[in-house]
C-alpha cells in the first residue's frame, strides 16, 4: 500500500495529500536495511534518494519534499521527541511552502518525496496518538538485495494504479497499524512511574475516579523526586496516551484508575 502510494504521488494522482505513512525497518546491524531502502529506487531514479535529512533547518527539511523521491530516515531512534512531532507534520504536507534565497514571496512547490526509515532499536515511537504515521516492521534476517527486477516491479505498480487500486490506508488499517506498533513504543518516565502507582481500570472492576492533578500528587507523595519535568496540568496527556478511561463531570475530567499497592 505504501509502495503504491509512493508511485501514485510521483505520477500526480493526488495533489491534495502527501504519502503520509513511513515504513520503519527494525532489526540488527548488518541486515542490509539501509541497502534495501536505497535499492527500492531503480538506478535511473537514485538521484532522487537521500538519507541525510537535517532537522535543524525546518526550511531545508521542507525543501526535501520537492527535491527528492525517497527520503531514508536512517537510525530513526536518534530522532528526538520534538523532531518526531515535526516529522509527522512533514509527512502529511501535500506541498512545500518555500521562499527562494533573497526572494520576498512564498512559493508552493509540489511534493514528490515519500519516507522510509531504519533502526537497530525496538523502542522507537514516542507518541501513540501519531503512530499510524509509521509502520514498524521487524527484520529477522539479512534482506536479499540481489537480482531485483525493477522494470517488472514498477510495471506491476503502474498497472494496479491504472486499474484504480486503492493506494491509501483506510481507518480500519490505520487502527491495525496503531495496534501493531504498540510493541515499538518508547515509554516515557512519567508513564513508567504511573504504572508503578496506578493502572487503568477495567469496566467490571471497582475503581477510583481521580483528576489528573490528584493522580499527579499521589505519585509525587510516593516518589518525591520524580516527575521533575511534569506538572498536574500536563499529566492528563500522559493518562490519555496510556488509554486510561476519562469521564467528564461538572468539576472537570476524572480518570478511572486502580491504585497499585
Amino acid at each position: 500500500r505504501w509502495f503504491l502510494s509512493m508511485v501514485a504521488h510521483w505520477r500526480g494522482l493526488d495533489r491534495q495529500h502527501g504519502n503520509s505513512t513511513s515504513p520503519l525497518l527494525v532489526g540488527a546491524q548488518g541486515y542490509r536495511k539501509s541497502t534495501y531502502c536505497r535499492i527500492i529506487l531503480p538506478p535511473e531514479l537514485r538521484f532522487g534518494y537521500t538519507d541525510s535529512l537535517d532537522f535543524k533547518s525546518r526550511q531545508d527539511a521542507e525543501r526535501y519534499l520537492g527535491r527528492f523521491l525517497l527520503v531514508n530516515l536512517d537510525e530513526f531512534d536518534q530522532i528526538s521527541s520534538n523532531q518526531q512531532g515535526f516529522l509527522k507534520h512533514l509527512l502529511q504536507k501535500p506541498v512545500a511552502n518555500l521562499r527562494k534565497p533573497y526572494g520576498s514571496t512564498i512559493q508552493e512547490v509540489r511534493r514528490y518525496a515519500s519516507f522510509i526509515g531504519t533502526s537497530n532499536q525496538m523502542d522507537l515511537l514516542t507518541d501513540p496518538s501519531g503512530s499510524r504515521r509509521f509502520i514498524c516492521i521487524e527484520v529477522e534476517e539479512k534482506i536479499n538485495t540481489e537480482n531485483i527486477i525493477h522494470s517488472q516491479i514498477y510495471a506491476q505498480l503502474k498497472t494496479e494504479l491504472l486499474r484504480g487500486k486503492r493506494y491509501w490506508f483506510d481507518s480500519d488499517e490505520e487502527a491495525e497499524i496503531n495496534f501493531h506498533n504498540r510493541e515499538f513504543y518508547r515509554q516515557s518516565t512519567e508513564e513508567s512511574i504511573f504504572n508503578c502507582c496506578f493502572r487503568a481500570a477495567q469496566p467490571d472492576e471497582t475503581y477510583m475516579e481521580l483528576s489528573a492533578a490528584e493522580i499527579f500528587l499521589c505519585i509525587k507523595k510516593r516518589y518525591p523526586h520524580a516527575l521533575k519535568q511534569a506538572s498536574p496540568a500536563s499529566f492528563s496527556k500522559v493518562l490519555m496516551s496510556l488509554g486510561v478511561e476519562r469521564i467528564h463531570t461538572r468539576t472537570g475530567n476524572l480518570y478511572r484508575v486502580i491504585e497499585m499497592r
Side-chain angles (χ1 to χ4, degrees):
R1 192 81 70 195
W2 169 83
F3 213 145
L4 273 173
S5 185
M6 178 172 68
V7 176
H9 283 88
W10 292 350
R11 293 174 58 83
L13 299 185
D14 183 357
R15 300 198 182 189
Q16 301 302 312
H17 308 88
N19 187 4
S20 59
T21 306
S22 172
L24 300 178
L25 308 183
V26 185
Q29 191 170 2
Y31 274 17
R32 300 174 184 158
K33 302 183 297 296
S34 298
T35 301
Y36 174 79
C37 294
R38 185 172 63 254
I39 65 173
I40 284 176
L41 298 183
E44 298 85 351
L45 295 180
R46 286 187 194 154
F47 66 88
Y49 172 87
T50 185
D51 56 7
S52 60
L53 180 63
D54 185 2
F55 287 97
K56 294 179 182 178
S57 171
R58 295 198 171 195
Q59 188 174 24
D60 284 347
E62 285 207 21
R63 191 171 284 114
Y64 277 36
L65 295 177
R67 180 180 295 175
F68 294 100
L69 299 174
L70 181 61
V71 178
N72 176 14
L73 305 166
D74 217 12
E75 297 187 5
F76 185 90
D77 50 283
Q78 300 299 314
I79 301 175
S80 69
S81 298
N82 290 337
Q83 290 171 337
Q84 282 194 32
F86 172 65
L87 175 59
K88 282 179 283 190
H89 164 74
L90 205 62
L91 284 171
Q92 63 190 7
K93 284 182 69 70
V95 296
N97 300 308
L98 302 171
R99 185 174 62 202
K100 290 186 176 181
Y102 309 107
S104 58
T105 59
I106 301 295
Q107 292 185 337
E108 195 174 89
V109 178
R110 178 183 164 189
R111 170 180 170 171
Y112 292 94
S114 290
F115 290 79
I116 193 169
T118 69
S119 177
N120 301 333
Q121 307 295 324
M122 291 287 288
D123 53 341
L124 296 174
L125 306 178
T126 59
D127 179 11
S129 64
S131 70
R132 64 188 176 90
R133 297 295 180 202
F134 305 103
I135 309 175
C136 295
I137 303 164
E138 186 172 1
V139 181
E140 299 178 345
E141 58 184 32
K142 286 185 179 180
I143 300 173
N144 182 3
T145 57
E146 303 295 327
N147 303 318
I148 297 176
I149 307 174
H150 289 92
S151 59
Q152 181 59 46
I153 294 171
Y154 283 90
Q156 179 180 334
L157 292 166
K158 180 180 177 182
T159 299
E160 291 180 352
L161 290 171
L162 291 174
R163 290 175 178 172
K165 186 165 184 178
R166 177 166 55 87
Y167 55 85
W168 60 90
F169 293 94
D170 62 25
S171 57
D172 289 339
E173 289 167 337
E174 288 182 343
E176 185 178 348
I177 290 170
N178 266 332
F179 181 82
H180 165 77
N181 282 341
R182 291 187 306 171
E183 61 182 291
F184 299 93
Y185 175 57
R186 185 190 307 162
Q187 196 170 63
S188 67
T189 303
E190 291 85 354
E191 291 168 338
S192 298
I193 294 176
F194 170 84
N195 289 330
C196 293
C197 302
F198 294 93
R199 66 175 175 84
Q202 300 300 316
D204 58 344
E205 293 181 306
T206 301
Y207 48 77
M208 307 166 66
E209 291 184 347
L210 302 176
S211 67
E214 288 172 328
I215 294 172
F216 178 86
L217 292 174
C218 286
I219 294 174
K220 287 292 287 184
K221 188 175 180 179
R222 290 177 63 174
Y223 298 97
H225 302 293
L227 305 179
K228 292 183 179 180
Q229 303 300 319
S231 68
S234 66
F235 206 68
S236 59
K237 294 181 181 180
V238 176
L239 300 174
M240 290 178 63
S241 70
L242 290 168
V244 180
E245 184 180 358
R246 179 181 61 181
I247 59 170
H248 301 285
T249 71
R250 291 182 179 180
T251 58
N253 294 324
L254 299 179
Y255 297 85
R256 292 176 171 171
V257 295
I258 293 176
E259 188 170 8
M260 306 293 286
R261 300 294 184 180

